[in-house]
Amino acid sequence: MAPDDLLRSTGASRTFTGRSISDAELHDILDDARFAPSGGNRQPWRVVALRDPDVRSQVVEATRPVWDDYVAITEDGRVPFNVVDGEAPERVERDRPNPLIDQVERVPVVLAVAADLRAIAAMDAQAERLPLAAGASIYPFCWSILLAASQRGLGGVLTTFVTRVERSVADVLALPEHHALAALLFLGEPERRISRLSRRPVTSFATIDRFDGEALSNDAPRDP
Ligand SMILES: Cc1cc2nc3c(=O)[nH]c(=O)nc-3n(C[C@H](O)[C@H](O)[C@H](O)COP(=O)(O)O)c2cc1C
């Protein structure tokens, strides 16, 4: 697939056909994804493929209350877990359906991705607002896994719910000291191919010189 097609067509897939993914194929996906960038090229990633049904179900089940909270906050008309007003309501209906959790045994591959915090320069860790920069050394790698899967006719989704229950799954995963869980990735052959992703146009988010500057458009080329 041409690079622009790959970028424009790699959407989130949450339901998969029965086609399995061998360890060799998964190895090849990770072998491409490892070329992702990271701060200082320190490549802080560790990956565990959750093949054992017990391990997989313990880890994924632990995220269910997070999912229930997520749905409840969304139904309240708010952005879940945002740092301004993202707390869950006091009463939350439990055990909401979620195909990734309810039928996790049918997902061909579940990956737990962790980062070695000793290998990450957390540039804005002392900021008065929510720190963001540390994630930039691990999430490009996660995205590269999804792109490498997509290139092979596979697909999947990145989820971060597990970060809220990291302590409760640390032992079952033998999460090493000084490591943080970054994501669970679900991979397989998508049941449906997404033909068109819904994204905002460039002119809605890119401006010249300042964030309140003129919109960057493609109809008035400027000299450098
Ligand atoms: C940081 C992050 C967290 C996400 N968490 C979840 C999740 O917990 N569950 C889920 O089903 N999708 C999750 N997604 C997938 C997004 O919902 C998806 O990328 C977005 O809705 C765009 O979907 P599309 O590519 O199919 O248009 C996450 C994506 C990102 C980047």
Side-chain angles (χ1 to χ4, degrees):
M1 209 188 298
D4 57 341
D5 286 339
L6 187 66
L7 289 170
R8 285 167 173 264
S9 69
T10 303
S13 301
R14 301 177 181 85
T15 52
F16 307 103
T17 68
R19 171 178 166 338
S20 59
I21 298 178
S22 67
D23 283 354
E25 195 171 10
L26 181 57
H27 177 279
D28 287 353
I29 289 170
L30 297 177
D31 198 29
D32 285 345
R34 72 193 168 93
F35 290 94
S38 58
N41 196 22
R42 282 179 287 267
Q43 306 165 46
W45 40 81
R46 291 286 309 270
V47 177
V48 179
L50 307 185
R51 294 272 195 224
D52 181 317
D54 284 343
V55 172
R56 184 187 279 210
S57 119
Q58 281 186 63
V59 172
V60 172
E61 266 309 320
T63 69
R64 190 184 285 281
V66 186
W67 166 247
D68 292 340
D69 288 350
Y70 182 97
V71 176
I73 305 167
T74 307
E75 285 173 355
D76 254 12
R78 293 181 286 135
V79 175
F81 309 126
N82 82 77
V83 291
V84 179
D85 67 352
E87 283 312 305
E90 270 174 32
R91 295 172 66 85
V92 173
E93 193 187 312
R94 292 290 161 198
D95 300 333
R96 311 281 191 126
N98 178 326
L100 291 175
I101 302 176
D102 301 337
Q103 290 150 41
V104 71
E105 70 284 352
R106 295 179 56 187
V107 179
V109 167
V110 181
L111 300 179
V113 179
D116 183 345
L117 298 177
R118 295 165 300 187
I120 293 181
M123 292 297 183
D124 58 352
Q126 313 307 328
E128 284 170 17
R129 45 109 182 121
L130 176 74
L132 285 180
S137 278
I138 190 70
Y139 292 113
F141 170 69
C142 295
W143 180 233
S144 290
I145 294 174
L146 290 170
L147 288 176
S150 183
Q151 177 68 20
R152 289 166 171 79
L154 302 171
V157 65
L158 179 159
T159 73
T160 53
F161 287 3
V162 75
T163 62
R164 286 182 81 83
V165 293
E166 178 181 287
R167 283 301 100 205
S168 64
V169 300
D171 283 349
V172 68
L173 287 171
L175 182 68
E177 197 183 2
H178 304 304
H179 283 61
L181 281 173
L184 291 182
L185 300 186
F186 298 78
L187 301 177
E189 181 181 62
E191 229 165 28
R192 282 177 300 281
R193 278 263 150 232
I194 299 150
S195 54
R196 196 180 159 86
L197 301 178
S198 159
R199 297 292 188 268
R200 293 190 288 129
V202 173
T203 47
S204 75
F205 61 79
T207 50
I208 309 285
D209 291 333
R210 293 165 48 105
F211 288 106
D212 61 358
E214 149 196 6
L216 176 73
S217 86
N218 62 356
D219 54 21
R222 301 162 69 95
D223 291 327

